[in-house]
Short mmCIF file of all heavy atoms in Angstrom, two decimals:
data_model
loop_
_atom_site.label_atom_id
_atom_site.label_comp_id
_atom_site.label_asym_id
_atom_site.label_seq_id
_atom_site.Cartn_x
_atom_site.Cartn_y
_atom_site.Cartn_z
N PHE A 237 15.14 7.67 -17.32
CA PHE A 237 15.86 6.34 -16.91
C PHE A 237 15.89 6.24 -15.39
O PHE A 237 15.71 5.06 -14.94
CB PHE A 237 17.28 6.35 -17.60
CG PHE A 237 18.06 5.19 -17.18
CD1 PHE A 237 17.90 3.96 -17.75
CD2 PHE A 237 19.16 5.32 -16.22
CE1 PHE A 237 18.62 2.74 -17.36
CE2 PHE A 237 19.84 4.25 -15.81
CZ PHE A 237 19.63 3.00 -16.49
N PHE A 238 16.15 7.25 -14.73
CA PHE A 238 16.32 7.11 -13.20
C PHE A 238 14.95 6.81 -12.67
O PHE A 238 14.78 6.11 -11.67
CB PHE A 238 16.76 8.55 -12.77
CG PHE A 238 16.99 8.61 -11.18
CD1 PHE A 238 18.11 7.91 -10.66
CD2 PHE A 238 16.16 9.22 -10.42
CE1 PHE A 238 18.33 7.88 -9.43
CE2 PHE A 238 16.27 9.14 -9.03
CZ PHE A 238 17.42 8.53 -8.50
N LYS A 239 13.86 7.40 -13.35
CA LYS A 239 12.47 7.12 -12.78
C LYS A 239 12.11 5.65 -12.97
O LYS A 239 11.47 5.12 -12.04
CB LYS A 239 11.57 8.07 -13.58
CG LYS A 239 10.14 8.08 -12.97
CD LYS A 239 9.30 9.21 -13.75
CE LYS A 239 7.90 9.42 -13.12
NZ LYS A 239 7.24 10.56 -13.82
N ILE A 240 12.52 5.04 -14.08
CA ILE A 240 12.15 3.65 -14.26
C ILE A 240 12.86 2.80 -13.17
O ILE A 240 12.37 1.90 -12.59
CB ILE A 240 12.72 3.17 -15.74
CG1 ILE A 240 11.75 3.85 -16.71
CG2 ILE A 240 12.72 1.69 -15.74
CD1 ILE A 240 12.39 3.67 -18.16
N LEU A 241 14.17 3.19 -12.97
CA LEU A 241 14.88 2.49 -11.86
C LEU A 241 14.14 2.58 -10.54
O LEU A 241 14.09 1.67 -9.75
CB LEU A 241 16.46 2.95 -11.73
CG LEU A 241 17.34 2.67 -12.95
CD1 LEU A 241 18.70 3.23 -12.68
CD2 LEU A 241 17.37 1.21 -13.24
N CYS A 242 13.76 3.80 -10.24
CA CYS A 242 13.10 4.03 -8.91
C CYS A 242 11.75 3.44 -8.80
O CYS A 242 11.41 2.88 -7.70
CB CYS A 242 12.79 5.66 -8.77
SG CYS A 242 14.30 6.53 -8.41
N ARG A 243 11.03 3.23 -9.93
CA ARG A 243 9.80 2.39 -9.96
C ARG A 243 9.96 1.02 -9.54
O ARG A 243 9.25 0.30 -8.76
CB ARG A 243 9.02 2.63 -11.30
CG ARG A 243 8.30 4.00 -11.39
CD ARG A 243 7.42 3.97 -12.52
NE ARG A 243 6.71 5.34 -12.47
CZ ARG A 243 5.63 5.49 -13.36
NH1 ARG A 243 5.09 4.58 -14.13
NH2 ARG A 243 5.05 6.76 -13.47
N LEU A 244 11.11 0.44 -10.07
CA LEU A 244 11.40 -0.96 -9.86
C LEU A 244 11.84 -1.05 -8.28
O LEU A 244 11.53 -2.01 -7.64
CB LEU A 244 12.56 -1.36 -10.71
CG LEU A 244 12.20 -1.47 -12.27
CD1 LEU A 244 13.45 -1.83 -13.13
CD2 LEU A 244 11.18 -2.57 -12.51
N TRP A 245 12.71 -0.14 -8.01
CA TRP A 245 13.23 -0.11 -6.58
C TRP A 245 12.22 0.04 -5.51
O TRP A 245 12.09 -0.86 -4.67
CB TRP A 245 14.43 0.89 -6.48
CG TRP A 245 14.84 1.27 -5.08
CD1 TRP A 245 14.64 2.27 -4.33
CD2 TRP A 245 15.79 0.44 -4.44
NE1 TRP A 245 15.35 2.29 -3.18
CE2 TRP A 245 16.03 1.05 -3.12
CE3 TRP A 245 16.40 -0.77 -4.70
CZ2 TRP A 245 16.79 0.57 -2.04
CZ3 TRP A 245 17.22 -1.28 -3.60
CH2 TRP A 245 17.50 -0.63 -2.40
N TYR A 246 11.41 1.01 -5.57
CA TYR A 246 10.35 1.37 -4.59
C TYR A 246 9.17 0.40 -4.81
O TYR A 246 8.49 0.00 -3.80
CB TYR A 246 9.91 2.76 -4.70
CG TYR A 246 10.95 3.79 -4.35
CD1 TYR A 246 11.35 4.88 -5.21
CD2 TYR A 246 11.53 3.80 -3.08
CE1 TYR A 246 12.27 5.69 -4.77
CE2 TYR A 246 12.52 4.73 -2.59
CZ TYR A 246 12.87 5.68 -3.52
OH TYR A 246 13.88 6.60 -3.16
N GLY A 247 8.97 0.06 -6.09
CA GLY A 247 7.67 -0.80 -6.29
C GLY A 247 7.91 -2.17 -5.90
O GLY A 247 6.99 -2.77 -5.26
N ILE A 248 8.97 -2.77 -6.33
CA ILE A 248 9.21 -4.23 -5.92
C ILE A 248 9.84 -4.46 -4.63
O ILE A 248 9.27 -5.26 -3.88
CB ILE A 248 10.09 -4.74 -7.10
CG1 ILE A 248 9.41 -4.76 -8.40
CG2 ILE A 248 10.50 -6.29 -6.73
CD1 ILE A 248 10.28 -5.23 -9.54
N ILE A 249 10.89 -3.75 -4.24
CA ILE A 249 11.58 -4.00 -3.07
C ILE A 249 10.78 -3.48 -1.82
O ILE A 249 10.65 -4.21 -0.71
CB ILE A 249 12.90 -3.24 -2.96
CG1 ILE A 249 13.83 -3.79 -4.14
CG2 ILE A 249 13.62 -3.54 -1.72
CD1 ILE A 249 14.10 -5.24 -4.24
N PHE A 250 10.06 -2.41 -1.86
CA PHE A 250 9.43 -1.81 -0.72
C PHE A 250 7.89 -1.91 -0.97
O PHE A 250 7.21 -1.37 -0.16
CB PHE A 250 9.78 -0.39 -0.57
CG PHE A 250 11.26 -0.23 -0.23
CD1 PHE A 250 12.18 0.00 -1.21
CD2 PHE A 250 11.76 -0.52 1.08
CE1 PHE A 250 13.52 0.15 -0.84
CE2 PHE A 250 13.12 -0.49 1.45
CZ PHE A 250 14.02 -0.11 0.44
N ARG A 251 7.34 -2.54 -1.97
CA ARG A 251 5.90 -2.85 -2.22
C ARG A 251 5.10 -1.55 -1.95
O ARG A 251 4.09 -1.60 -1.22
CB ARG A 251 5.41 -3.91 -1.24
CG ARG A 251 6.18 -5.20 -1.42
CD ARG A 251 6.31 -6.07 -0.16
NE ARG A 251 7.07 -5.48 0.87
CZ ARG A 251 6.86 -5.39 2.10
NH1 ARG A 251 5.72 -6.03 2.63
NH2 ARG A 251 7.60 -4.94 3.01
N THR A 252 5.48 -0.49 -2.63
CA THR A 252 4.86 0.80 -2.30
C THR A 252 3.35 0.78 -2.78
O THR A 252 3.08 0.36 -3.87
CB THR A 252 5.62 1.93 -3.22
OG1 THR A 252 7.00 2.01 -2.69
CG2 THR A 252 4.89 3.26 -3.00
N LYS A 253 2.54 1.37 -1.89
CA LYS A 253 1.16 1.50 -2.20
C LYS A 253 1.01 2.95 -2.55
O LYS A 253 1.34 3.96 -1.89
CB LYS A 253 0.19 1.27 -0.98
CG LYS A 253 -1.27 1.30 -1.32
CD LYS A 253 -2.16 0.64 -0.17
CE LYS A 253 -3.60 0.70 -0.65
NZ LYS A 253 -4.40 -0.03 0.26
N VAL A 254 0.44 3.29 -3.89
CA VAL A 254 0.14 4.60 -4.28
C VAL A 254 -1.25 4.86 -4.26
O VAL A 254 -2.11 4.11 -4.76
CB VAL A 254 0.62 4.66 -5.76
CG1 VAL A 254 0.45 6.09 -6.31
CG2 VAL A 254 2.10 4.22 -5.92
N ILE A 255 -1.60 5.91 -3.63
CA ILE A 255 -3.05 6.33 -3.44
C ILE A 255 -3.29 7.76 -3.91
O ILE A 255 -2.53 8.69 -3.63
CB ILE A 255 -3.47 6.33 -1.86
CG1 ILE A 255 -3.19 4.87 -1.28
CG2 ILE A 255 -4.93 6.72 -1.69
CD1 ILE A 255 -3.22 4.87 0.18
N GLY A 256 -4.32 7.97 -4.65
CA GLY A 256 -4.75 9.28 -5.14
C GLY A 256 -3.87 9.80 -6.23
O GLY A 256 -3.99 11.06 -6.57
N ALA A 257 -3.28 8.91 -7.16
CA ALA A 257 -2.44 9.50 -8.32
C ALA A 257 -3.50 10.20 -9.23
O ALA A 257 -2.91 11.14 -10.05
CB ALA A 257 -1.66 8.37 -8.94
N GLU A 258 -4.68 9.89 -9.33
CA GLU A 258 -5.65 10.54 -10.23
C GLU A 258 -5.84 12.05 -9.90
O GLU A 258 -6.32 12.71 -10.71
CB GLU A 258 -6.92 9.81 -10.11
CG GLU A 258 -7.75 9.97 -8.92
CD GLU A 258 -7.29 8.97 -7.66
OE1 GLU A 258 -6.39 8.17 -7.97
OE2 GLU A 258 -7.97 8.90 -6.69
N ASN A 259 -5.33 12.47 -8.74
CA ASN A 259 -5.39 13.84 -8.36
C ASN A 259 -4.28 14.73 -8.90
O ASN A 259 -4.28 16.01 -8.89
CB ASN A 259 -5.35 14.02 -6.78
CG ASN A 259 -6.59 13.40 -6.02
OD1 ASN A 259 -7.70 13.60 -6.62
ND2 ASN A 259 -6.37 12.81 -4.95
N ILE A 260 -3.38 14.07 -9.56
CA ILE A 260 -2.35 14.79 -10.22
C ILE A 260 -2.68 15.39 -11.54
O ILE A 260 -3.18 14.60 -12.38
CB ILE A 260 -1.12 13.88 -10.43
CG1 ILE A 260 -0.52 13.39 -9.20
CG2 ILE A 260 0.07 14.71 -11.25
CD1 ILE A 260 0.00 14.36 -8.10
N PRO A 261 -2.66 16.67 -11.80
CA PRO A 261 -3.12 17.32 -13.14
C PRO A 261 -2.32 16.68 -14.21
O PRO A 261 -1.05 16.51 -14.07
CB PRO A 261 -2.80 18.83 -12.89
CG PRO A 261 -2.65 18.94 -11.38
CD PRO A 261 -2.19 17.66 -10.80
N LYS A 262 -2.95 16.39 -15.27
CA LYS A 262 -2.23 15.80 -16.44
C LYS A 262 -1.49 16.87 -17.18
O LYS A 262 -0.56 16.57 -17.93
CB LYS A 262 -3.31 15.15 -17.33
CG LYS A 262 -4.06 13.94 -16.71
CD LYS A 262 -4.80 13.27 -17.79
CE LYS A 262 -5.61 12.02 -17.17
NZ LYS A 262 -4.63 11.08 -16.53
N THR A 263 -1.93 18.14 -17.13
CA THR A 263 -1.25 19.29 -17.78
C THR A 263 -1.22 20.46 -16.86
O THR A 263 -2.07 20.63 -15.91
CB THR A 263 -1.94 19.57 -19.17
OG1 THR A 263 -3.32 19.94 -18.84
CG2 THR A 263 -1.91 18.47 -20.14
N GLY A 264 -0.40 21.46 -17.13
CA GLY A 264 -0.49 22.65 -16.44
C GLY A 264 0.35 22.65 -15.15
O GLY A 264 0.86 21.59 -14.65
N ALA A 265 0.65 23.83 -14.62
CA ALA A 265 1.38 24.07 -13.42
C ALA A 265 0.72 23.57 -12.20
O ALA A 265 -0.51 23.73 -12.05
CB ALA A 265 1.85 25.50 -13.32
N PHE A 266 1.59 23.01 -11.27
CA PHE A 266 1.03 22.73 -9.88
C PHE A 266 2.23 22.56 -8.85
O PHE A 266 3.35 22.19 -9.34
CB PHE A 266 0.17 21.44 -9.87
CG PHE A 266 0.79 20.17 -10.07
CD1 PHE A 266 1.09 19.40 -9.09
CD2 PHE A 266 1.01 19.76 -11.40
CE1 PHE A 266 1.73 18.14 -9.30
CE2 PHE A 266 1.67 18.48 -11.65
CZ PHE A 266 2.04 17.70 -10.59
N ILE A 267 1.85 22.75 -7.69
CA ILE A 267 2.90 22.50 -6.67
C ILE A 267 2.70 21.25 -5.92
O ILE A 267 1.56 21.04 -5.42
CB ILE A 267 3.03 23.72 -5.65
CG1 ILE A 267 3.31 25.04 -6.42
CG2 ILE A 267 3.97 23.56 -4.58
CD1 ILE A 267 2.96 26.21 -5.52
N LEU A 268 3.63 20.36 -5.80
CA LEU A 268 3.53 19.13 -5.08
C LEU A 268 4.08 19.30 -3.72
O LEU A 268 5.33 19.37 -3.62
CB LEU A 268 4.14 18.00 -5.86
CG LEU A 268 3.95 16.59 -5.42
CD1 LEU A 268 2.42 16.29 -5.40
CD2 LEU A 268 4.64 15.62 -6.29
N ALA A 269 3.39 19.38 -2.71
CA ALA A 269 3.79 19.73 -1.31
C ALA A 269 3.78 18.53 -0.33
O ALA A 269 2.74 18.00 -0.14
CB ALA A 269 3.10 21.01 -0.69
N SER A 270 4.84 18.11 0.25
CA SER A 270 4.87 16.86 1.02
C SER A 270 5.71 17.05 2.26
O SER A 270 6.36 17.91 2.46
CB SER A 270 5.54 15.79 0.16
OG SER A 270 5.54 14.56 0.88
N ASN A 271 5.39 16.08 3.19
CA ASN A 271 6.26 15.92 4.42
C ASN A 271 7.62 15.40 4.00
O ASN A 271 7.82 14.95 2.85
CB ASN A 271 5.64 15.08 5.42
CG ASN A 271 5.36 13.58 4.86
OD1 ASN A 271 4.89 13.47 3.72
ND2 ASN A 271 5.71 12.53 5.58
N HIS A 272 8.65 15.54 4.83
CA HIS A 272 9.96 15.21 4.53
C HIS A 272 10.65 14.41 5.63
O HIS A 272 10.73 15.04 6.78
CB HIS A 272 10.80 16.37 4.16
CG HIS A 272 12.10 16.19 3.42
ND1 HIS A 272 12.50 14.97 3.03
CD2 HIS A 272 13.15 17.11 3.39
CE1 HIS A 272 13.69 15.12 2.49
NE2 HIS A 272 14.16 16.29 2.71
N MET A 273 11.14 13.16 5.44
CA MET A 273 11.58 12.38 6.56
C MET A 273 13.00 11.83 6.21
O MET A 273 13.73 11.54 7.17
CB MET A 273 10.68 11.31 6.95
CG MET A 273 9.29 11.67 7.41
SD MET A 273 8.28 10.35 8.05
CE MET A 273 8.15 9.39 6.30
N ALA A 274 13.34 11.66 4.96
CA ALA A 274 14.64 11.04 4.53
C ALA A 274 15.08 11.52 3.24
O ALA A 274 14.38 12.17 2.49
CB ALA A 274 14.40 9.58 4.47
N ASN A 275 16.40 11.23 3.03
CA ASN A 275 16.93 11.54 1.60
C ASN A 275 16.22 10.85 0.44
O ASN A 275 16.43 11.34 -0.61
CB ASN A 275 18.48 11.21 1.67
CG ASN A 275 19.19 12.26 2.51
OD1 ASN A 275 18.87 13.43 2.77
ND2 ASN A 275 20.31 11.80 3.12
N TRP A 276 15.45 9.72 0.73
CA TRP A 276 14.86 9.12 -0.29
C TRP A 276 13.64 9.80 -0.76
O TRP A 276 13.14 9.34 -1.82
CB TRP A 276 14.26 7.73 0.31
CG TRP A 276 15.35 6.89 0.92
CD1 TRP A 276 15.54 6.75 2.28
CD2 TRP A 276 16.24 5.86 0.39
NE1 TRP A 276 16.61 5.85 2.58
CE2 TRP A 276 16.94 5.29 1.39
CE3 TRP A 276 16.48 5.52 -0.99
CZ2 TRP A 276 17.98 4.28 1.10
CZ3 TRP A 276 17.37 4.56 -1.22
CH2 TRP A 276 18.14 3.92 -0.13
N ASP A 277 13.23 10.89 -0.09
CA ASP A 277 11.96 11.45 -0.35
C ASP A 277 11.79 12.12 -1.72
O ASP A 277 10.66 11.88 -2.43
CB ASP A 277 11.62 12.41 0.65
CG ASP A 277 11.20 11.75 2.04
OD1 ASP A 277 11.18 10.47 2.09
OD2 ASP A 277 11.28 12.38 3.13
N PRO A 278 12.72 12.90 -2.25
CA PRO A 278 12.55 13.65 -3.45
C PRO A 278 12.24 12.64 -4.59
O PRO A 278 11.16 12.75 -5.30
CB PRO A 278 13.74 14.40 -3.67
CG PRO A 278 14.36 14.66 -2.24
CD PRO A 278 13.83 13.38 -1.54
N PRO A 279 12.99 11.67 -4.81
CA PRO A 279 12.80 10.63 -5.96
C PRO A 279 11.43 9.93 -5.73
O PRO A 279 10.73 9.68 -6.65
CB PRO A 279 13.98 9.80 -6.10
CG PRO A 279 14.73 9.90 -4.75
CD PRO A 279 14.42 11.24 -4.35
N PHE A 280 11.29 9.51 -4.46
CA PHE A 280 10.07 8.64 -4.10
C PHE A 280 8.81 9.46 -4.42
O PHE A 280 7.84 8.97 -4.97
CB PHE A 280 10.25 8.34 -2.60
CG PHE A 280 9.00 7.54 -2.26
CD1 PHE A 280 8.81 6.22 -2.75
CD2 PHE A 280 8.09 7.96 -1.32
CE1 PHE A 280 7.78 5.37 -2.28
CE2 PHE A 280 7.01 7.18 -0.86
CZ PHE A 280 6.82 5.96 -1.41
N LEU A 281 8.78 10.68 -4.18
CA LEU A 281 7.56 11.57 -4.29
C LEU A 281 7.11 11.62 -5.72
O LEU A 281 5.92 11.57 -6.05
CB LEU A 281 7.81 13.01 -3.77
CG LEU A 281 6.55 13.93 -3.62
CD1 LEU A 281 5.51 13.33 -2.83
CD2 LEU A 281 6.96 15.29 -3.24
N GLY A 282 8.14 11.72 -6.63
CA GLY A 282 7.70 11.80 -7.96
C GLY A 282 7.82 10.61 -8.93
O GLY A 282 7.47 10.64 -10.16
#
């Protein structure tokens, strides 16, 4: 539910451009490592 709200918030209000989503494994473990600039970052990243 929170993710749906975030997609609306970030997608519509901030017109987010998503690049390289096809690189995310569909199954199995992986580490998602990112830069960090604001409290918005954890929900935004996922």
Side-chain angles (χ1 to χ4, degrees):
F237 175 72
F238 185 75
K239 191 171 187 176
I240 291 171
L241 291 180
C242 284
R243 284 195 177 187
L244 293 173
W245 171 251
Y246 292 120
I248 296 174
I249 303 299
F250 297 99
R251 300 154 293 142
T252 299
K253 185 165 187 178
V254 182
I255 303 169
E258 68 277 5
N259 292 321
I260 300 296
K262 296 185 182 301
T263 60
F266 68 98
I267 299 169
L268 189 58
S270 173
N271 60 312
H272 190 17
M273 302 182 294
N275 288 329
W276 306 97
D277 295 347
F280 180 65
L281 185 62

